Each structure stands twice: as C-alpha cells, then as structure tokens.
PDB file of all heavy atoms in Angstrom:
ATOM      1  N   SER A   1      -1.894   7.447   5.795  1.00 96.00           N
ATOM      2  CA  SER A   1      -3.096   8.163   6.219  1.00 96.00           C
ATOM      3  C   SER A   1      -2.774   9.652   6.232  1.00 96.00           C
ATOM      4  O   SER A   1      -1.879  10.097   6.953  1.00 96.00           O
ATOM      5  CB  SER A   1      -3.522   7.688   7.616  1.00 96.00           C
ATOM      6  OG  SER A   1      -4.671   8.367   8.052  1.00 96.00           O
ATOM      7  N   GLY A   2      -3.474  10.426   5.383  1.00 95.00           N
ATOM      8  CA  GLY A   2      -3.138  11.842   5.258  1.00 95.00           C
ATOM      9  C   GLY A   2      -4.345  12.707   4.978  1.00 95.00           C
ATOM     10  O   GLY A   2      -5.488  12.233   4.911  1.00 95.00           O
ATOM     11  N   VAL A   3      -4.078  14.001   4.795  1.00 96.00           N
ATOM     12  CA  VAL A   3      -5.142  14.967   4.534  1.00 96.00           C
ATOM     13  C   VAL A   3      -4.751  15.847   3.357  1.00 96.00           C
ATOM     14  O   VAL A   3      -3.568  16.074   3.082  1.00 96.00           O
ATOM     15  CB  VAL A   3      -5.438  15.855   5.764  1.00 96.00           C
ATOM     16  CG1 VAL A   3      -6.040  15.036   6.899  1.00 96.00           C
ATOM     17  CG2 VAL A   3      -4.164  16.561   6.236  1.00 96.00           C
ATOM     18  N   THR A   4      -5.772  16.341   2.647  1.00 97.00           N
ATOM     19  CA  THR A   4      -5.585  17.317   1.583  1.00 97.00           C
ATOM     20  C   THR A   4      -6.622  18.421   1.756  1.00 97.00           C
ATOM     21  O   THR A   4      -7.544  18.303   2.565  1.00 97.00           O
ATOM     22  CB  THR A   4      -5.763  16.670   0.189  1.00 97.00           C
ATOM     23  OG1 THR A   4      -7.081  16.103   0.095  1.00 97.00           O
ATOM     24  CG2 THR A   4      -4.727  15.586  -0.060  1.00 97.00           C
ATOM     25  N   GLY A   5      -6.452  19.488   0.982  1.00 97.00           N
ATOM     26  CA  GLY A   5      -7.385  20.610   1.050  1.00 97.00           C
ATOM     27  C   GLY A   5      -6.800  21.771   1.824  1.00 97.00           C
ATOM     28  O   GLY A   5      -5.946  21.597   2.706  1.00 97.00           O
ATOM     29  N   TRP A   6      -7.284  22.996   1.494  1.00 98.00           N
ATOM     30  CA  TRP A   6      -6.778  24.202   2.161  1.00 98.00           C
ATOM     31  C   TRP A   6      -6.986  24.146   3.660  1.00 98.00           C
ATOM     32  O   TRP A   6      -6.176  24.648   4.440  1.00 98.00           O
ATOM     33  CB  TRP A   6      -7.443  25.450   1.576  1.00 98.00           C
ATOM     34  CG  TRP A   6      -7.028  25.735   0.161  1.00 98.00           C
ATOM     35  CD1 TRP A   6      -7.779  25.590  -0.963  1.00 98.00           C
ATOM     36  CD2 TRP A   6      -5.742  26.192  -0.265  1.00 98.00           C
ATOM     37  NE1 TRP A   6      -7.055  25.919  -2.075  1.00 98.00           N
ATOM     38  CE2 TRP A   6      -5.787  26.310  -1.683  1.00 98.00           C
ATOM     39  CE3 TRP A   6      -4.559  26.522   0.386  1.00 98.00           C
ATOM     40  CZ2 TRP A   6      -4.712  26.739  -2.436  1.00 98.00           C
ATOM     41  CZ3 TRP A   6      -3.478  26.946  -0.368  1.00 98.00           C
ATOM     42  CH2 TRP A   6      -3.555  27.054  -1.762  1.00 98.00           C
ATOM     43  N   GLU A   7      -8.091  23.583   4.084  1.00 97.00           N
ATOM     44  CA  GLU A   7      -8.383  23.469   5.514  1.00 97.00           C
ATOM     45  C   GLU A   7      -8.075  22.071   6.037  1.00 97.00           C
ATOM     46  O   GLU A   7      -8.490  21.715   7.132  1.00 97.00           O
ATOM     47  CB  GLU A   7      -9.857  23.804   5.762  1.00 97.00           C
ATOM     48  CG  GLU A   7     -10.310  25.147   5.220  1.00 97.00           C
ATOM     49  CD  GLU A   7      -9.529  26.303   5.817  1.00 97.00           C
ATOM     50  OE1 GLU A   7      -9.135  26.207   7.003  1.00 97.00           O
ATOM     51  OE2 GLU A   7      -9.296  27.289   5.088  1.00 97.00           O
ATOM     52  N   LYS A   8      -7.388  21.282   5.211  1.00 95.00           N
ATOM     53  CA  LYS A   8      -7.070  19.894   5.559  1.00 95.00           C
ATOM     54  C   LYS A   8      -8.330  19.120   5.912  1.00 95.00           C
ATOM     55  O   LYS A   8      -8.361  18.304   6.839  1.00 95.00           O
ATOM     56  CB  LYS A   8      -6.054  19.847   6.718  1.00 95.00           C
ATOM     57  CG  LYS A   8      -4.754  20.568   6.405  1.00 95.00           C
ATOM     58  CD  LYS A   8      -3.762  20.487   7.547  1.00 95.00           C
ATOM     59  CE  LYS A   8      -2.477  21.234   7.209  1.00 95.00           C
ATOM     60  NZ  LYS A   8      -1.483  21.186   8.298  1.00 95.00           N
ATOM     61  N   GLU A   9      -9.390  19.419   5.108  1.00 95.00           N
ATOM     62  CA  GLU A   9     -10.700  18.879   5.427  1.00 95.00           C
ATOM     63  C   GLU A   9     -10.967  17.494   4.849  1.00 95.00           C
ATOM     64  O   GLU A   9     -11.930  16.824   5.235  1.00 95.00           O
ATOM     65  CB  GLU A   9     -11.784  19.849   4.924  1.00 95.00           C
ATOM     66  CG  GLU A   9     -11.921  19.955   3.397  1.00 95.00           C
ATOM     67  CD  GLU A   9     -10.969  20.937   2.747  1.00 95.00           C
ATOM     68  OE1 GLU A   9     -10.000  21.382   3.414  1.00 95.00           O
ATOM     69  OE2 GLU A   9     -11.181  21.275   1.576  1.00 95.00           O
ATOM     70  N   CYS A  10     -10.113  17.056   3.909  1.00 96.00           N
ATOM     71  CA  CYS A  10     -10.362  15.774   3.242  1.00 96.00           C
ATOM     72  C   CYS A  10      -9.355  14.734   3.722  1.00 96.00           C
ATOM     73  O   CYS A  10      -8.142  14.894   3.524  1.00 96.00           O
ATOM     74  CB  CYS A  10     -10.269  15.928   1.728  1.00 96.00           C
ATOM     75  SG  CYS A  10     -11.551  16.966   1.025  1.00 96.00           S
ATOM     76  N   HIS A  11      -9.861  13.699   4.328  1.00 94.00           N
ATOM     77  CA  HIS A  11      -8.998  12.608   4.772  1.00 94.00           C
ATOM     78  C   HIS A  11      -8.821  11.619   3.625  1.00 94.00           C
ATOM     79  O   HIS A  11      -9.790  11.218   2.975  1.00 94.00           O
ATOM     80  CB  HIS A  11      -9.587  11.888   5.986  1.00 94.00           C
ATOM     81  CG  HIS A  11      -8.757  10.727   6.434  1.00 94.00           C
ATOM     82  ND1 HIS A  11      -9.087   9.421   6.148  1.00 94.00           N
ATOM     83  CD2 HIS A  11      -7.585  10.679   7.104  1.00 94.00           C
ATOM     84  CE1 HIS A  11      -8.158   8.631   6.635  1.00 94.00           C
ATOM     85  NE2 HIS A  11      -7.240   9.361   7.219  1.00 94.00           N
ATOM     86  N   GLN A  12      -7.551  11.231   3.364  1.00 96.00           N
ATOM     87  CA  GLN A  12      -7.226  10.306   2.273  1.00 96.00           C
ATOM     88  C   GLN A  12      -6.388   9.150   2.828  1.00 96.00           C
ATOM     89  O   GLN A  12      -5.488   9.373   3.640  1.00 96.00           O
ATOM     90  CB  GLN A  12      -6.412  11.030   1.187  1.00 96.00           C
ATOM     91  CG  GLN A  12      -6.846  12.437   0.853  1.00 96.00           C
ATOM     92  CD  GLN A  12      -8.048  12.499  -0.077  1.00 96.00           C
ATOM     93  OE1 GLN A  12      -8.775  11.525  -0.224  1.00 96.00           O
ATOM     94  NE2 GLN A  12      -8.275  13.643  -0.697  1.00 96.00           N
ATOM     95  N   THR A  13      -6.718   7.952   2.383  1.00 96.00           N
ATOM     96  CA  THR A  13      -5.974   6.774   2.826  1.00 96.00           C
ATOM     97  C   THR A  13      -5.523   5.963   1.627  1.00 96.00           C
ATOM     98  O   THR A  13      -6.311   5.698   0.714  1.00 96.00           O
ATOM     99  CB  THR A  13      -6.833   5.876   3.737  1.00 96.00           C
ATOM    100  OG1 THR A  13      -7.262   6.619   4.876  1.00 96.00           O
ATOM    101  CG2 THR A  13      -6.027   4.668   4.215  1.00 96.00           C
ATOM    102  N   ILE A  14      -4.251   5.620   1.607  1.00 97.00           N
ATOM    103  CA  ILE A  14      -3.699   4.711   0.602  1.00 97.00           C
ATOM    104  C   ILE A  14      -3.297   3.434   1.330  1.00 97.00           C
ATOM    105  O   ILE A  14      -2.559   3.473   2.315  1.00 97.00           O
ATOM    106  CB  ILE A  14      -2.466   5.312  -0.097  1.00 97.00           C
ATOM    107  CG1 ILE A  14      -2.811   6.638  -0.773  1.00 97.00           C
ATOM    108  CG2 ILE A  14      -1.880   4.330  -1.108  1.00 97.00           C
ATOM    109  CD1 ILE A  14      -1.598   7.383  -1.304  1.00 97.00           C
ATOM    110  N   GLU A  15      -3.785   2.301   0.844  1.00 97.00           N
ATOM    111  CA  GLU A  15      -3.397   1.024   1.455  1.00 97.00           C
ATOM    112  C   GLU A  15      -3.011   0.028   0.367  1.00 97.00           C
ATOM    113  O   GLU A  15      -3.737  -0.156  -0.605  1.00 97.00           O
ATOM    114  CB  GLU A  15      -4.520   0.435   2.314  1.00 97.00           C
ATOM    115  CG  GLU A  15      -4.127  -0.891   2.965  1.00 97.00           C
ATOM    116  CD  GLU A  15      -5.100  -1.382   4.032  1.00 97.00           C
ATOM    117  OE1 GLU A  15      -6.047  -0.641   4.356  1.00 97.00           O
ATOM    118  OE2 GLU A  15      -4.903  -2.497   4.545  1.00 97.00           O
ATOM    119  N   TYR A  16      -1.843  -0.576   0.551  1.00 98.00           N
ATOM    120  CA  TYR A  16      -1.351  -1.617  -0.342  1.00 98.00           C
ATOM    121  C   TYR A  16      -1.218  -2.881   0.487  1.00 98.00           C
ATOM    122  O   TYR A  16      -0.559  -2.880   1.536  1.00 98.00           O
ATOM    123  CB  TYR A  16       0.004  -1.215  -0.925  1.00 98.00           C
ATOM    124  CG  TYR A  16       0.638  -2.240  -1.835  1.00 98.00           C
ATOM    125  CD1 TYR A  16       0.204  -2.391  -3.152  1.00 98.00           C
ATOM    126  CD2 TYR A  16       1.676  -3.042  -1.392  1.00 98.00           C
ATOM    127  CE1 TYR A  16       0.795  -3.315  -3.997  1.00 98.00           C
ATOM    128  CE2 TYR A  16       2.272  -3.971  -2.226  1.00 98.00           C
ATOM    129  CZ  TYR A  16       1.831  -4.105  -3.535  1.00 98.00           C
ATOM    130  OH  TYR A  16       2.420  -5.024  -4.364  1.00 98.00           O
ATOM    131  N   LYS A  17      -1.860  -3.962   0.030  1.00 97.00           N
ATOM    132  CA  LYS A  17      -1.941  -5.162   0.856  1.00 97.00           C
ATOM    133  C   LYS A  17      -1.490  -6.388   0.087  1.00 97.00           C
ATOM    134  O   LYS A  17      -1.772  -6.523  -1.107  1.00 97.00           O
ATOM    135  CB  LYS A  17      -3.386  -5.363   1.343  1.00 97.00           C
ATOM    136  CG  LYS A  17      -3.585  -6.553   2.268  1.00 97.00           C
ATOM    137  CD  LYS A  17      -5.035  -6.654   2.720  1.00 97.00           C
ATOM    138  CE  LYS A  17      -5.248  -7.844   3.658  1.00 97.00           C
ATOM    139  NZ  LYS A  17      -6.662  -7.961   4.080  1.00 97.00           N
ATOM    140  N   LEU A  18      -0.786  -7.285   0.773  1.00 97.00           N
ATOM    141  CA  LEU A  18      -0.390  -8.572   0.220  1.00 97.00           C
ATOM    142  C   LEU A  18      -0.893  -9.691   1.121  1.00 97.00           C
ATOM    143  O   LEU A  18      -0.795  -9.604   2.347  1.00 97.00           O
ATOM    144  CB  LEU A  18       1.135  -8.680   0.115  1.00 97.00           C
ATOM    145  CG  LEU A  18       1.848  -7.750  -0.858  1.00 97.00           C
ATOM    146  CD1 LEU A  18       3.355  -7.925  -0.719  1.00 97.00           C
ATOM    147  CD2 LEU A  18       1.411  -8.022  -2.287  1.00 97.00           C
ATOM    148  N   THR A  19      -1.432 -10.734   0.516  1.00 96.00           N
ATOM    149  CA  THR A  19      -1.816 -11.954   1.231  1.00 96.00           C
ATOM    150  C   THR A  19      -1.143 -13.109   0.507  1.00 96.00           C
ATOM    151  O   THR A  19      -1.481 -13.410  -0.645  1.00 96.00           O
ATOM    152  CB  THR A  19      -3.341 -12.145   1.235  1.00 96.00           C
ATOM    153  OG1 THR A  19      -3.959 -10.999   1.820  1.00 96.00           O
ATOM    154  CG2 THR A  19      -3.724 -13.389   2.034  1.00 96.00           C
ATOM    155  N   LEU A  20      -0.177 -13.737   1.168  1.00 96.00           N
ATOM    156  CA  LEU A  20       0.712 -14.680   0.491  1.00 96.00           C
ATOM    157  C   LEU A  20       0.605 -16.078   1.082  1.00 96.00           C
ATOM    158  O   LEU A  20       0.785 -16.259   2.297  1.00 96.00           O
ATOM    159  CB  LEU A  20       2.167 -14.203   0.608  1.00 96.00           C
ATOM    160  CG  LEU A  20       2.428 -12.732   0.242  1.00 96.00           C
ATOM    161  CD1 LEU A  20       3.888 -12.383   0.514  1.00 96.00           C
ATOM    162  CD2 LEU A  20       2.059 -12.468  -1.206  1.00 96.00           C
ATOM    163  N   ASP A  21       0.338 -17.057   0.236  1.00 96.00           N
ATOM    164  CA  ASP A  21       0.390 -18.448   0.676  1.00 96.00           C
ATOM    165  C   ASP A  21       1.829 -18.886   0.930  1.00 96.00           C
ATOM    166  O   ASP A  21       2.088 -19.735   1.784  1.00 96.00           O
ATOM    167  CB  ASP A  21      -0.224 -19.367  -0.374  1.00 96.00           C
ATOM    168  CG  ASP A  21      -1.744 -19.457  -0.273  1.00 96.00           C
ATOM    169  OD1 ASP A  21      -2.302 -18.945   0.713  1.00 96.00           O
ATOM    170  OD2 ASP A  21      -2.357 -20.030  -1.191  1.00 96.00           O
ATOM    171  N   SER A  22       2.758 -18.333   0.147  1.00 95.00           N
ATOM    172  CA  SER A  22       4.168 -18.711   0.287  1.00 95.00           C
ATOM    173  C   SER A  22       5.043 -17.473   0.215  1.00 95.00           C
ATOM    174  O   SER A  22       5.199 -16.882  -0.864  1.00 95.00           O
ATOM    175  CB  SER A  22       4.579 -19.697  -0.811  1.00 95.00           C
ATOM    176  OG  SER A  22       5.986 -19.900  -0.788  1.00 95.00           O
ATOM    177  N   ASN A  23       5.594 -17.098   1.334  1.00 91.00           N
ATOM    178  CA  ASN A  23       6.529 -15.978   1.412  1.00 91.00           C
ATOM    179  C   ASN A  23       7.732 -16.193   0.478  1.00 91.00           C
ATOM    180  O   ASN A  23       8.037 -15.333  -0.350  1.00 91.00           O
ATOM    181  CB  ASN A  23       6.961 -15.806   2.874  1.00 91.00           C
ATOM    182  CG  ASN A  23       7.910 -14.645   3.111  1.00 91.00           C
ATOM    183  OD1 ASN A  23       8.339 -13.970   2.189  1.00 91.00           O
ATOM    184  ND2 ASN A  23       8.244 -14.420   4.362  1.00 91.00           N
ATOM    185  N   PRO A  24       8.434 -17.339   0.552  1.00 92.00           N
ATOM    186  CA  PRO A  24       9.626 -17.481  -0.294  1.00 92.00           C
ATOM    187  C   PRO A  24       9.304 -17.506  -1.777  1.00 92.00           C
ATOM    188  O   PRO A  24      10.062 -16.960  -2.586  1.00 92.00           O
ATOM    189  CB  PRO A  24      10.256 -18.798   0.169  1.00 92.00           C
ATOM    190  CG  PRO A  24       9.184 -19.518   0.905  1.00 92.00           C
ATOM    191  CD  PRO A  24       8.319 -18.466   1.500  1.00 92.00           C
ATOM    192  N   GLN A  25       8.186 -18.119  -2.178  1.00 96.00           N
ATOM    193  CA  GLN A  25       7.864 -18.158  -3.602  1.00 96.00           C
ATOM    194  C   GLN A  25       7.527 -16.770  -4.130  1.00 96.00           C
ATOM    195  O   GLN A  25       7.891 -16.417  -5.263  1.00 96.00           O
ATOM    196  CB  GLN A  25       6.713 -19.127  -3.864  1.00 96.00           C
ATOM    197  CG  GLN A  25       7.109 -20.592  -3.723  1.00 96.00           C
ATOM    198  CD  GLN A  25       6.003 -21.547  -4.105  1.00 96.00           C
ATOM    199  OE1 GLN A  25       5.086 -21.191  -4.834  1.00 96.00           O
ATOM    200  NE2 GLN A  25       6.076 -22.767  -3.595  1.00 96.00           N
ATOM    201  N   PHE A  26       6.838 -15.958  -3.329  1.00 97.00           N
ATOM    202  CA  PHE A  26       6.523 -14.604  -3.773  1.00 97.00           C
ATOM    203  C   PHE A  26       7.790 -13.749  -3.834  1.00 97.00           C
ATOM    204  O   PHE A  26       8.023 -13.027  -4.797  1.00 97.00           O
ATOM    205  CB  PHE A  26       5.498 -13.957  -2.848  1.00 97.00           C
ATOM    206  CG  PHE A  26       5.022 -12.613  -3.337  1.00 97.00           C
ATOM    207  CD1 PHE A  26       4.015 -12.513  -4.273  1.00 97.00           C
ATOM    208  CD2 PHE A  26       5.602 -11.444  -2.861  1.00 97.00           C
ATOM    209  CE1 PHE A  26       3.589 -11.279  -4.740  1.00 97.00           C
ATOM    210  CE2 PHE A  26       5.194 -10.202  -3.318  1.00 97.00           C
ATOM    211  CZ  PHE A  26       4.174 -10.121  -4.263  1.00 97.00           C
ATOM    212  N   THR A  27       8.613 -13.832  -2.787  1.00 96.00           N
ATOM    213  CA  THR A  27       9.877 -13.091  -2.776  1.00 96.00           C
ATOM    214  C   THR A  27      10.729 -13.485  -3.977  1.00 96.00           C
ATOM    215  O   THR A  27      11.335 -12.639  -4.644  1.00 96.00           O
ATOM    216  CB  THR A  27      10.640 -13.358  -1.470  1.00 96.00           C
ATOM    217  OG1 THR A  27       9.846 -12.923  -0.361  1.00 96.00           O
ATOM    218  CG2 THR A  27      11.974 -12.625  -1.446  1.00 96.00           C
ATOM    219  N   ALA A  28      10.765 -14.780  -4.270  1.00 98.00           N
ATOM    220  CA  ALA A  28      11.525 -15.260  -5.425  1.00 98.00           C
ATOM    221  C   ALA A  28      11.012 -14.653  -6.723  1.00 98.00           C
ATOM    222  O   ALA A  28      11.796 -14.298  -7.613  1.00 98.00           O
ATOM    223  CB  ALA A  28      11.435 -16.785  -5.493  1.00 98.00           C
ATOM    224  N   SER A  29       9.695 -14.512  -6.842  1.00 98.00           N
ATOM    225  CA  SER A  29       9.110 -13.937  -8.054  1.00 98.00           C
ATOM    226  C   SER A  29       9.533 -12.485  -8.235  1.00 98.00           C
ATOM    227  O   SER A  29       9.755 -12.026  -9.365  1.00 98.00           O
ATOM    228  CB  SER A  29       7.589 -14.053  -8.005  1.00 98.00           C
ATOM    229  OG  SER A  29       7.183 -15.410  -7.952  1.00 98.00           O
ATOM    230  N   VAL A  30       9.655 -11.746  -7.123  1.00 98.00           N
ATOM    231  CA  VAL A  30      10.147 -10.373  -7.192  1.00 98.00           C
ATOM    232  C   VAL A  30      11.606 -10.357  -7.651  1.00 98.00           C
ATOM    233  O   VAL A  30      12.002  -9.558  -8.509  1.00 98.00           O
ATOM    234  CB  VAL A  30       9.999  -9.667  -5.831  1.00 98.00           C
ATOM    235  CG1 VAL A  30      10.557  -8.244  -5.901  1.00 98.00           C
ATOM    236  CG2 VAL A  30       8.536  -9.633  -5.387  1.00 98.00           C
ATOM    237  N   LEU A  31      12.412 -11.246  -7.111  1.00 98.00           N
ATOM    238  CA  LEU A  31      13.828 -11.291  -7.476  1.00 98.00           C
ATOM    239  C   LEU A  31      14.017 -11.570  -8.962  1.00 98.00           C
ATOM    240  O   LEU A  31      14.886 -10.975  -9.619  1.00 98.00           O
ATOM    241  CB  LEU A  31      14.549 -12.367  -6.661  1.00 98.00           C
ATOM    242  CG  LEU A  31      14.632 -12.154  -5.151  1.00 98.00           C
ATOM    243  CD1 LEU A  31      15.350 -13.332  -4.496  1.00 98.00           C
ATOM    244  CD2 LEU A  31      15.332 -10.862  -4.802  1.00 98.00           C
ATOM    245  N   VAL A  32      13.218 -12.457  -9.516  1.00 98.00           N
ATOM    246  CA  VAL A  32      13.368 -12.811 -10.929  1.00 98.00           C
ATOM    247  C   VAL A  32      12.959 -11.638 -11.822  1.00 98.00           C
ATOM    248  O   VAL A  32      13.623 -11.344 -12.825  1.00 98.00           O
ATOM    249  CB  VAL A  32      12.561 -14.083 -11.247  1.00 98.00           C
ATOM    250  CG1 VAL A  32      12.507 -14.341 -12.748  1.00 98.00           C
ATOM    251  CG2 VAL A  32      13.178 -15.286 -10.534  1.00 98.00           C
ATOM    252  N   ALA A  33      11.875 -10.952 -11.478  1.00 98.00           N
ATOM    253  CA  ALA A  33      11.492  -9.762 -12.246  1.00 98.00           C
ATOM    254  C   ALA A  33      12.595  -8.705 -12.187  1.00 98.00           C
ATOM    255  O   ALA A  33      12.888  -8.041 -13.187  1.00 98.00           O
ATOM    256  CB  ALA A  33      10.171  -9.199 -11.721  1.00 98.00           C
TER     257      ALA A  33
END
C-alpha cells in the first residue's frame, strides 16, 4: 500500500493472492519449475 505523485495524492495498492486447495502440491509445483 503506497502513494505516488508530487503531493503524494494518488494511493496505489498492489495485491498478489493465492487460494490453494493443496499447499504441498502447489509448493511442489514451484520446486519443479
């Protein structure tokens, strides 16, 4: 959550989200890549 602009007038939000049915299977997929 941050701001940009000379007067810091623009609020900007970056959100990255994961919803996982299986934690180990997803983690495993990262390891293989």
Side-chain angles (χ1 to χ4, degrees):
S1 180
V3 293
T4 59
W6 291 108
E7 306 301 327
K8 302 181 181 180
E9 69 275 14
C10 294
H11 178 258
Q12 320 280 18
T13 301
I14 302 171
E15 180 169 354
Y16 178 78
K17 183 179 180 181
L18 294 175
T19 303
L20 311 176
D21 276 351
S22 171
N23 182 356
Q25 288 185 22
F26 186 83
T27 299
S29 298
V30 178
L31 295 179
V32 170

